[in-house]
Coordinates of all heavy atoms in Angstrom, one line a residue:
R105 N 173.9 102.3 148.0 CA 174.2 101.6 149.2 C 175.2 100.4 148.9 O 175.2 99.9 147.8 CB 172.9 101.0 149.8 CG 171.9 102.0 150.2 CD 170.7 101.3 150.7 NE 169.6 102.3 151.0 CZ 168.4 102.3 150.5 NH1 168.0 101.3 149.8 NH2 167.6 103.3 150.8
S106 N 175.8 99.9 150.0 CA 176.6 98.7 149.8 C 175.6 97.5 149.8 O 174.5 97.6 150.3 CB 177.6 98.6 151.0 OG 176.9 98.3 152.2
L107 N 176.1 96.4 149.3 CA 175.3 95.2 149.3 C 174.9 94.8 150.7 O 173.7 94.5 150.9 CB 176.0 94.1 148.5 CG 175.3 92.7 148.4 CD1 174.0 92.9 147.7 CD2 176.2 91.7 147.8
P108 N 175.8 94.7 151.6 CA 175.3 94.3 153.0 C 174.3 95.3 153.6 O 173.4 94.9 154.3 CB 176.6 94.3 153.8 CG 177.7 94.1 152.8 CD 177.2 94.8 151.6
T109 N 174.5 96.6 153.3 CA 173.6 97.6 153.9 C 172.2 97.4 153.3 O 171.2 97.5 154.0 CB 174.1 99.0 153.6 OG1 175.4 99.2 154.2 CG2 173.2 100.1 154.1
Q110 N 172.1 97.1 152.0 CA 170.9 96.9 151.3 C 170.1 95.7 151.9 O 169.0 95.7 152.2 CB 171.0 96.7 149.8 CG 169.7 96.5 149.1 CD 168.8 97.7 149.2 OE1 169.3 98.9 149.0 NE2 167.6 97.5 149.5
I111 N 170.9 94.6 152.2 CA 170.3 93.4 152.7 C 169.8 93.6 154.2 O 168.7 93.2 154.6 CB 171.2 92.2 152.6 CG1 171.4 91.8 151.1 CG2 170.7 91.0 153.4 CD1 172.5 90.8 150.8
E112 N 170.6 94.4 154.9 CA 170.3 94.7 156.3 C 169.0 95.6 156.3 O 168.1 95.4 157.1 CB 171.4 95.5 157.0 CG 172.5 94.6 157.4 CD 173.7 95.4 158.0 OE1 173.6 96.6 158.1 OE2 174.7 94.7 158.4
R113 N 168.9 96.5 155.3 CA 167.7 97.4 155.2 C 166.4 96.5 155.0 O 165.4 96.7 155.7 CB 167.9 98.4 154.1 CG 166.7 99.3 153.9 CD 167.0 100.4 152.9 NE 165.8 101.2 152.6 CZ 165.4 102.2 153.4 NH1 166.0 102.5 154.5 NH2 164.3 102.9 153.1
W114 N 166.5 95.6 154.0 CA 165.4 94.8 153.7 C 165.0 93.9 154.9 O 163.8 93.7 155.2 CB 165.7 93.9 152.5 CG 165.6 94.5 151.2 CD1 165.0 95.8 150.9 CD2 166.0 94.0 150.0 NE1 165.1 96.0 149.6 CE2 165.6 94.9 149.0 CE3 166.6 92.8 149.6 CZ2 165.9 94.7 147.6 CZ3 166.8 92.6 148.2 CH2 166.5 93.5 147.3
S115 N 166.0 93.4 155.6 CA 165.8 92.6 156.8 C 165.1 93.4 157.9 O 164.1 92.9 158.5 CB 167.1 92.0 157.3 OG 166.9 91.4 158.5
R116 N 165.6 94.6 158.1 CA 165.0 95.5 159.2 C 163.5 95.8 158.8 O 162.6 95.7 159.7 CB 165.8 96.7 159.3 CG 165.4 97.6 160.4 CD 166.4 98.7 160.6 NE 166.0 99.5 161.8 CZ 166.4 100.7 162.0 NH1 167.1 101.4 161.1 NH2 166.0 101.4 163.1
I117 N 163.3 96.2 157.6 CA 161.9 96.5 157.2 C 161.0 95.3 157.3 O 159.9 95.4 157.7 CB 161.9 97.2 155.8 CG1 162.5 98.6 155.8 CG2 160.5 97.2 155.2 CD1 162.8 99.2 154.5
G118 N 161.5 94.2 156.9 CA 160.7 92.9 157.0 C 160.4 92.6 158.4 O 159.2 92.2 158.7
K119 N 161.3 92.7 159.3 CA 161.1 92.5 160.7 C 160.0 93.4 161.2 O 159.1 93.0 161.9 CB 162.4 92.6 161.5 CG 162.2 92.3 163.0 CD 163.6 92.4 163.7 CE 163.5 92.1 165.1 NZ 162.8 93.1 165.9
I120 N 160.1 94.7 161.0 CA 159.1 95.6 161.4 C 157.8 95.3 160.8 O 156.7 95.4 161.5 CB 159.6 97.1 161.0 CG1 160.8 97.5 161.8 CG2 158.4 98.1 161.3 CD1 161.5 98.8 161.3
S121 N 157.7 94.9 159.6 CA 156.5 94.6 158.9 C 155.8 93.4 159.6 O 154.6 93.3 159.8 CB 156.7 94.3 157.4 OG 157.1 95.5 156.7
E122 N 156.6 92.4 159.9 CA 156.0 91.2 160.6 C 155.5 91.5 161.9 O 154.5 91.0 162.4 CB 157.1 90.1 160.6 CG 157.3 89.3 159.4 CD 158.2 88.1 159.5 OE1 158.7 87.9 160.6 OE2 158.3 87.3 158.5
E123 N 156.2 92.4 162.7 CA 155.8 92.7 164.0 C 154.6 93.7 164.0 O 153.9 93.9 165.0 CB 157.0 93.4 164.8 CG 158.1 92.4 165.0 CD 159.4 93.0 165.6 OE1 159.5 94.3 165.6 OE2 160.2 92.2 166.1
N124 N 154.4 94.4 162.9 CA 153.4 95.4 162.8 C 152.6 95.3 161.5 O 152.7 96.2 160.6 CB 154.0 96.8 162.9 CG 154.7 97.0 164.2 OD1 154.2 97.3 165.2 ND2 156.0 96.9 164.1
S125 N 152.0 94.2 161.3 CA 151.4 93.9 160.0 C 150.3 94.9 159.5 O 150.0 94.9 158.3 CB 150.8 92.5 160.0 OG 149.8 92.4 161.0
D126 N 149.8 95.7 160.4 CA 148.8 96.7 160.0 C 149.4 98.0 159.5 O 148.7 98.8 159.0 CB 147.9 97.0 161.2 CG 148.6 97.5 162.4 OD1 149.8 97.0 162.6 OD2 148.1 98.3 163.1
L127 N 150.7 98.1 159.5 CA 151.4 99.4 159.1 C 151.8 99.3 157.6 O 152.4 98.3 157.2 CB 152.6 99.7 159.9 CG 152.4 99.9 161.4 CD1 153.8 100.2 162.1 CD2 151.4 101.1 161.7
P128 N 151.4 100.3 156.8 CA 151.9 100.3 155.4 C 153.4 100.6 155.3 O 154.0 101.2 156.2 CB 151.1 101.4 154.8 CG 150.5 102.2 155.9 CD 150.5 101.4 157.1
Y129 N 154.0 100.2 154.2 CA 155.4 100.4 154.0 C 155.8 101.8 154.2 O 156.8 102.1 154.8 CB 155.8 99.8 152.6 CG 157.2 100.3 152.3 CD1 158.3 99.7 152.9 CD2 157.4 101.3 151.3 CE1 159.6 100.1 152.6 CE2 158.7 101.7 151.0 CZ 159.8 101.1 151.6 OH 161.1 101.5 151.3
N130 N 155.1 102.8 153.6 CA 155.5 104.2 153.6 C 155.5 104.7 155.0 O 156.3 105.5 155.4 CB 154.6 105.0 152.7 CG 154.9 104.9 151.3 OD1 156.1 104.6 150.9 ND2 154.0 105.1 150.4
F131 N 154.6 104.2 155.9 CA 154.6 104.6 157.3 C 155.8 104.1 158.0 O 156.5 104.8 158.8 CB 153.3 104.1 158.0 CG 153.1 104.7 159.4 CD1 152.6 105.9 159.5 CD2 153.4 103.9 160.5 CE1 152.4 106.5 160.8 CE2 153.3 104.4 161.7 CZ 152.8 105.7 161.9
I132 N 156.2 102.8 157.7 CA 157.4 102.3 158.3 C 158.6 103.1 157.9 O 159.5 103.4 158.7 CB 157.5 100.8 157.9 CG1 156.4 100.0 158.6 CG2 158.9 100.2 158.3 CD1 156.3 98.5 158.1
K133 N 158.7 103.4 156.6 CA 159.8 104.1 156.0 C 159.9 105.5 156.7 O 161.0 105.9 157.1 CB 159.6 104.3 154.5 CG 160.8 105.0 153.8 CD 160.6 105.1 152.3 CE 159.4 106.0 152.0 NZ 159.2 106.4 150.7
D134 N 158.8 106.2 156.9 CA 158.8 107.5 157.6 C 159.2 107.4 159.0 O 159.9 108.3 159.5 CB 157.4 108.1 157.5 CG 157.0 108.6 156.1 OD1 157.9 108.7 155.3 OD2 155.8 108.8 155.9
I135 N 158.9 106.3 159.7 CA 159.3 106.1 161.1 C 160.8 105.9 161.1 O 161.5 106.5 162.0 CB 158.6 104.8 161.7 CG1 157.2 105.1 162.0 CG2 159.4 104.4 163.0 CD1 156.4 103.9 162.4
L136 N 161.4 105.1 160.2 CA 162.8 104.9 160.2 C 163.6 106.2 159.9 O 164.6 106.5 160.4 CB 163.2 103.9 159.1 CG 162.7 102.4 159.5 CD1 163.0 101.5 158.3 CD2 163.3 101.9 160.8
L137 N 163.0 107.0 159.0 CA 163.6 108.3 158.7 C 163.5 109.3 159.9 O 164.5 109.9 160.2 CB 162.8 109.0 157.5 CG 163.3 110.3 157.0 CD1 164.8 110.3 156.6 CD2 162.5 110.9 155.9
A138 N 162.4 109.3 160.6 CA 162.3 110.1 161.8 C 163.3 109.7 162.8 O 163.9 110.5 163.5 CB 160.9 110.1 162.3
Q139 N 163.5 108.4 163.0 CA 164.4 107.9 164.0 C 165.8 108.4 163.7 O 166.6 108.8 164.5 CB 164.4 106.4 164.1 CG 163.2 105.8 164.8 CD 163.1 104.3 164.8 OE1 163.7 103.7 164.0 NE2 162.4 103.8 165.8
K140 N 166.2 108.3 162.4 CA 167.5 108.8 161.9 C 167.7 110.3 162.2 O 168.7 110.7 162.6 CB 167.7 108.4 160.5 CG 169.0 108.8 159.9 CD 170.2 108.1 160.5 CE 171.4 108.4 159.7 NZ 172.6 108.3 160.6
E141 N 166.6 111.0 161.9 CA 166.7 112.5 162.2 C 166.9 112.8 163.6 O 167.7 113.7 164.0 CB 165.4 113.2 161.6 CG 165.4 113.2 160.1 CD 164.0 113.6 159.6 OE1 163.1 113.8 160.4 OE2 163.9 113.8 158.4
V142 N 166.3 112.0 164.5 CA 166.5 112.2 166.0 C 167.9 111.9 166.3 O 168.6 112.7 167.0 CB 165.5 111.3 166.8 CG1 165.9 111.3 168.2 CG2 164.1 111.8 166.6
C143 N 168.4 110.8 165.8 CA 169.8 110.4 166.1 C 170.8 111.5 165.6 O 171.8 111.7 166.2 CB 170.2 109.1 165.5 SG 169.4 107.7 166.3
D144 N 170.5 112.0 164.4 CA 171.4 113.1 163.8 C 171.1 114.5 164.3 O 171.7 115.4 163.8 CB 171.3 113.0 162.3 CG 171.8 111.7 161.7 OD1 172.5 111.0 162.4 OD2 171.6 111.5 160.5
K145 N 170.2 114.6 165.3 CA 169.8 115.9 165.8 C 169.4 116.9 164.7 O 169.7 118.0 164.7 CB 170.9 116.5 166.7 CG 171.3 115.6 167.9 CD 172.3 116.3 168.8 CE 172.8 115.5 169.9 NZ 172.1 114.5 170.5

């Protein structure tokens, strides 16, 4: 990944984690992957 993309990724995961403190990291990662799959059809 590019450096900015990596920092944006950490920021996005951190924001989701703060908003949903009961969700484990792997669940958040799977949600982001599923969202990308929907966008990419």
Side-chain angles (χ1 to χ4, degrees):
R105 298 180 182 124
S106 68
L107 179 60
T109 300
Q110 182 63 47
I111 293 170
E112 286 175 0
R113 178 176 176 80
W114 282 350
S115 175
R116 186 171 184 203
I117 290 170
K119 181 178 182 289
I120 293 168
S121 293
E122 282 190 352
E123 293 171 348
N124 303 278
S125 60
D126 57 327
L127 297 180
Y129 168 74
N130 283 331
F131 189 79
I132 293 170
K133 185 177 69 169
D134 289 344
I135 289 170
L136 294 174
L137 180 60
Q139 287 177 335
K140 179 66 173 153
E141 289 171 352
V142 168
C143 288
D144 292 347
K145 298 185 185 331

